[in-house]
Amino acid sequence: VSGVASGTVSVTGVVNTVIMTQQTKAYINDNAKVTVSGDISILADSNNKLTCWVGAASFAGTVAVGASVNTIKLENKVTAGIGNSVTINQANSNDVSNLTIIATAKDDIFTMVAGIVASGGVSVSASANTILNTTTVATTIGTGSSINLNGSLYVKAFHDLVMDLNLGTASVGAYVGIG
């Protein structure tokens, strides 16, 4: 947040940049031999909450200029699975064993980007809000893997994206107001 005031000319600007890169994995590695007596769960979960407030205010007697810019780049990779050539067997053939593989991602993004300028002459303001979200959510069972269970297999990949993006600008000038 930035603000300026002057008797003649005032110029203000705010630039906010968020770059978030993350990787979440839950995995049984390649060539593993697993014996189970009960249920097995492979769960990868990512939960992101981003809140950005960006604002600029400029007040002057003659010319006022203001700009607010927000950029968010979210690179999130969530993977749950079984590698290549994995063998999963039950310890006892009379048991019931269930295999669950779930990868989930939730991205909750709130932004408020605003600018206000006022002058006795010319006022110019601008606001920009850019969101780049390249979230990838995947569940995998590798090639050559063998799953021998007396139960069920449940596989799910899910991405929940919630965005509340707010953008505004106001320009007041006795002669010219651009925004």
Side-chain angles (χ1 to χ4, degrees):
V1 177
S2 175
V4 296
S6 80
T8 307
V9 176
S10 66
V11 177
T12 187
V14 176
V15 176
N16 181 57
T17 303
V18 177
I19 299 173
M20 189 164 86
T21 303
Q22 68 185 73
Q23 186 170 340
T24 305
K25 275 187 169 184
Y27 228 76
I28 295 177
N29 288 328
D30 292 348
N31 304 309
K33 308 290 186 227
V34 180
T35 302
V36 298
S37 58
D39 295 339
I40 184 170
S41 295
I42 304 167
L43 311 172
D45 184 41
S46 173
N47 213 340
N48 298 307
K49 184 168 184 148
L50 297 172
T51 301
C52 296
W53 294 82
V54 181
S58 181
F59 305 100
T62 307
V63 176
V65 178
S68 301
V69 178
N70 183 56
T71 302
I72 296 173
K73 183 177 182 183
L74 176 59
E75 296 177 6
N76 188 10
K77 184 181 273 188
V78 182
T79 307
I82 296 171
N84 296 320
S85 301
V86 171
T87 302
I88 300 176
N89 291 310
Q90 279 189 211
N92 182 339
S93 62
N94 294 325
D95 289 343
V96 174
S97 297
N98 300 303
L99 173 59
T100 302
I101 304 171
I102 300 175
T104 59
K106 180 173 183 181
D107 298 322
D108 189 348
I109 301 170
F110 172 85
T111 64
M112 175 64 73
V113 182
I116 184 168
V117 297
S119 74
V122 177
S123 297
V124 179
S125 66
S127 297
N129 196 15
T130 303
I131 311 297
L132 304 167
N133 188 338
T134 59
T135 295
T136 303
V137 181
T139 52
T140 61
I141 297 176
T143 59
S145 291
S146 173
I147 302 169
N148 304 300
L149 301 175
N150 292 332
S152 62
L153 171 63
Y154 180 74
V155 180
K156 176 182 176 182
F158 181 72
H159 180 216
D160 183 17
L161 175 61
V162 177
M163 292 196 299
D164 184 0
L165 309 177
N166 301 280
L167 177 68
T169 188
S171 297
V172 178
Y175 300 110
V176 177
I178 299 171

